[in-house]
Amino acid sequence: MIAIGLEGSANKLGVGLISHPPGGKSAKILANIRHTFISPPGEGFLPKDTAKHHRSWVVKLVVQALREAGITIDDVQCICYTRGPGMGAPLQSVALSARMLSLLWGKPLVGVNHCVGHIEMGREITRAENPVVLYVSGGNTQVIAYASQRYRIFGETLDIAVGNCLDRFARTLNISNDPAPGYNIEQLAKKGKQLIDLPYAVKGMDCSFSGILAAIDILANGLEQDSKNGNGTAPRLQDGFTPEDLCFSLQETVFAMLVEITERAMAHVGSSQVLVVGGVGCNERLQEMMGQMAEDRGGSVFATDERFCIDNGIMIAHAGLLSYRTGSTTPLEDSTCTQRFRTDEVLVRWRN
C-alpha cells in the first residue's frame, strides 16, 4: 500500500510518499519533500502569508514527490492530510489541496492528527517499542504515554510551547529565521559560557514558559549595542553577559524542565525508553540532556534527525496509512480542519 501525505499546519509545507510492504515489514520512504515559508528577521509568520505560500507550492511539491518516487497516481491508495492542530489558514490550504486531489484522482481521504503523525513516524524510524514520548515543537509541548488505544497526555505546557518560547526570543534578538529561529538559537547557545538565573516553572507534570520568556526579554533589552557606537565590539549586557549567554541560559533552563517532567512520567509508567519528537527534538543539547537522564535510569533515548523531527509530509502519510489499513477514511463532506485537536482524542486502532 502507498499513501501520499500533505502537511502544512505551520510554516512548513511537506509532501511525502510512503509504502507499507506486506508481511509487517518496515515502511519504505519513497519521497519526503518540504518547502518552508521564511519571514524576515525579527518577525513571525502570519497565517495569511503562510497559507498563500502553501497554495503556491503544493502542486509543485506533489508533482516533484511523484517524480522522485517513480510512481503514478494509480499506485496511490489514499490521500492523507493534516486535520489539526495548527494555524487555521495554513491548515485550510492543505485540506483544500487534499480535497482537490481526492476529487481529481478518485482516491479516499484520511485526516490525520499532526501530533500522532510525529509519534508514529518517530516509532517507525527508531523502532522504539513502547516509550514515553516527549513531543516538543513550536505549537505543542506534551509528555505522552500509550495506554488502551490512546496516547495519554501526562504533562503539557500551561501557556506557550517551548518552541514558541525559543522562536519568540529569536525575534527579540533579531536573529534570522533561516533555516529556523530555534536552530539559530541553538548555534548561539553553543558559544555561551555563563549560566544566568532564570525562572524555573514546573507545576506538577506541567510547565510554563511565558514567564521565562518575559524575564529573558527584559535582560535582552539591556543589551548595549556597542557595535552601533562604532567600536566594532559585539553587543553585551551591562553586567557582562552576551546574547550567546542568554541563548545558552534559556536552553538549559527550559530543557531541564522538560527532562524533569519526562523522568517523572517514566517512573510513573515504568518505562525505560524516551522518544523525542517534534521540531525542537532536533536540538542536540536537548537530546544530550535527555540521554543523560535516561542513562542514569538504565534506559535509552530515541530521536530522529531533521528529516523527520521537523514537520514533514511523510509522517502524515505514514500515520494516515496506518489508519487507512484499519478501514478508517474521512468522507469528503467531513474533510475539515481544526486548530484544536488534542493527541488523546485519537483512537489508535492500529495498536493493541
Side-chain angles (χ1 to χ4, degrees), residues 2-197:
I2 296 176
I4 187 170
L6 277 64
E7 154 59 22
S9 59
N11 69 323
K12 295 170 181 64
L13 175 66
V15 176
L17 281 157
I18 197 166
S19 171
H20 285 187
K25 298 179 181 178
S26 298
K28 182 180 179 181
I29 297 170
L30 305 177
N32 186 19
I33 300 170
R34 182 169 51 217
H35 196 275
T36 304
F37 171 67
I38 299 175
S39 54
E43 299 181 15
F45 47 91
L46 296 176
K48 64 176 182 178
D49 296 333
T50 309
K52 183 179 179 180
H53 165 269
H54 291 0
R55 291 194 299 270
S56 300
W57 279 90
V58 65
V59 173
K60 302 173 189 175
L61 296 193
V62 168
V63 172
Q64 184 181 346
L66 288 169
R67 186 182 299 120
E68 183 177 303
I71 63 173
T72 66
I73 297 167
D74 294 334
D75 298 317
V76 176
Q77 270 70 51
C78 61
I79 299 165
C80 312
Y81 75 98
T82 303
R83 190 170 188 177
M87 300 171 66
L91 282 173
Q92 289 176 354
S93 294
V94 170
L96 177 65
S97 301
R99 287 195 292 270
M100 178 269 293
L101 293 178
S102 175
L103 291 171
L104 188 64
W105 295 348
K107 305 290 182 179
L109 285 167
V110 181
V112 176
N113 180 286
H114 178 87
C115 315
V116 172
H118 272 296
I119 295 170
E120 292 301 344
M121 199 70 236
R123 289 181 60 239
E124 177 67 26
I125 296 298
T126 64
R127 311 309 293 179
E129 295 177 1
N130 191 25
V132 166
V133 179
L134 175 65
Y135 171 37
V136 279
S137 68
N140 299 275
T141 300
Q142 297 175 345
V143 177
I144 301 162
Y146 174 79
S148 302
Q149 294 194 308
R150 300 273 180 180
Y151 283 115
R152 313 286 176 174
I153 300 172
F154 280 73
E156 58 189 324
T157 177
L158 296 172
D159 37 52
I160 61 174
V162 63
N164 186 244
C165 177
L166 297 171
D167 291 351
R168 286 167 66 174
F169 186 59
R171 282 184 241 165
T172 299
L173 294 182
N174 206 35
I175 295 173
S176 171
N177 291 320
D178 188 12
Y183 173 81
N184 294 328
I185 287 276
E186 179 185 2
Q187 304 316 305
L188 287 175
K190 292 177 181 179
K191 302 174 184 177
K193 295 180 173 58
Q194 300 189 62
L195 182 64
I196 303 167
D197 187 26

Side-chain angles (χ1 to χ4, degrees), residues 274-288:
V274 181
L275 173 62
V276 185
V277 299
V280 183
C282 294
N283 190 290
E284 294 176 355
R285 179 55 181 157
L286 175 59
Q287 293 181 11
E288 180 186 9

Side-chain angles (χ1 to χ4, degrees), residues 286-322:
L286 175 59
Q287 293 181 11
E288 180 186 9
M289 292 173 68
M290 200 64 67
Q292 290 172 347
M293 178 273 289
E295 184 179 357
D296 290 342
R297 296 182 60 84
S300 53
V301 63
F302 297 87
T304 62
D305 59 30
E306 67 277 0
R307 293 174 299 168
F308 307 109
C309 262
I310 299 173
D311 291 351
N312 58 86
I314 201 71
M315 71 182 194
I316 301 303
H318 178 59
L321 192 50
L322 288 173

